[in-house]
Amino acid sequence: ALPAPALIADVADGLEGGIQAIYLGSLLAILGFAGFIVVRQVLIRRELDESAKQMGERIRAGNATAEEYFEMGSIMLRKKVYTQAVRNLKLAAQMWEGDKEDLAQIHNALGYGYLSTEKLDEAVEEFKKAVELQPGYVTAWNNMGDAREQLKDMKGAMEAYEESLVLSPGNMVAENRLSDIKRRLTRLNQM
């Protein structure tokens, strides 16, 4: 026997209120999370702006050290102001008197700045300097692979990613990029 229409209406009314509460709760959770992300980004941006302002004042005073130029370049990279980042990182590299591992980080950051402004040949040169100074610098090898890939130098990109994998087996960035290049070359019958 079929349930009475009144019984079905009562069940539907009961479900409707519960579903509305679930939808409202879900909407509030999503909005709360989105609000948290926005506020967090605003605070990060404010902190970066304040750091850039303080560092800029020291640099404009004319007595900035290589470390301060490096810090300013790093801040500008995080703010995605790549031309200013490159300018400060070049000064840091020229003035650097510290150890070569730190200089390798400067060259890697400078290469990333060039890569972000699509100056790919300059980027590769900076990544080469970074790995010459610190041969085990996995991030620089990955970045060099990316730059060479963008230059359509697939052989060079594969070599960089393979070196990265020798240094860091299981490196997901290198594994994914290398398999993607091999898949593309196989599809084009160039491998």
Side-chain angles (χ1 to χ4, degrees), residues 74-88:
S74 298
I75 290 168
M76 291 294 118
L77 283 177
R78 288 182 61 204
K79 289 182 68 168
K80 299 182 181 179
V81 184
Y82 299 116
T83 53
Q84 288 182 17
V86 165
R87 186 179 71 239
N88 284 290

Side-chain angles (χ1 to χ4, degrees), residues 21-183:
I22 290 171
Y23 283 152
L24 180 61
S26 298
L27 177 64
L28 290 175
I30 290 169
L31 288 175
F33 182 72
F36 168 77
I37 296 296
V38 167
V39 168
R40 183 171 169 259
Q41 289 300 315
V42 167
L43 292 176
I44 288 171
R45 179 60 100 184
R46 182 179 293 158
E47 181 182 329
L48 282 174
D49 288 342
E50 185 61 32
S51 297
K53 179 182 174 191
Q54 291 172 356
M55 194 59 60
E57 288 170 0
R58 282 195 296 245
I59 289 172
R60 279 189 291 281
N63 54 0
T65 65
E67 290 84 1
E68 289 171 329
Y69 280 116
F70 177 56
E71 187 176 338
M72 184 62 155
S74 298
I75 290 168
M76 291 294 118
L77 283 177
R78 288 182 61 204
K79 289 182 68 168
K80 299 182 181 179
V81 184
Y82 299 116
T83 53
Q84 288 182 17
V86 165
R87 186 179 71 239
N88 284 290
L89 291 167
K90 282 169 72 173
L91 289 168
Q94 290 168 0
M95 296 173 63
W96 194 258
E97 295 176 355
D99 62 353
K100 64 181 185 176
E101 285 79 17
D102 290 337
L103 182 57
Q105 289 184 354
I106 293 172
H107 285 292
N108 183 61
L110 187 51
Y112 183 78
Y114 282 132
L115 186 64
S116 299
T117 56
E118 298 180 7
K119 294 181 178 175
L120 303 176
D121 291 321
E122 291 93 335
V124 168
E125 289 306 311
E126 292 301 326
F127 296 136
K128 280 182 186 176
K129 290 176 187 175
V131 298
E132 285 170 8
L133 291 166
Q134 190 177 350
Y137 197 173
V138 175
T139 302
W141 283 109
N142 284 343
N143 288 340
M144 187 184 316
D146 186 21
R148 287 190 164 168
E149 197 174 340
Q150 290 184 41
L151 280 167
K152 308 292 185 230
D153 174 10
M154 296 306 162
K155 182 177 183 256
M158 289 173 62
E159 289 171 358
Y161 291 131
E162 287 166 352
E163 182 65 27
S164 181
L165 285 169
V166 166
L167 296 167
S168 175
N171 176 343
M172 292 305 296
V173 171
E175 283 181 1
N176 291 339
R177 297 307 312 142
L178 190 58
S179 67
D180 186 50
I181 292 171
K182 288 179 178 178
R183 187 173 37 254

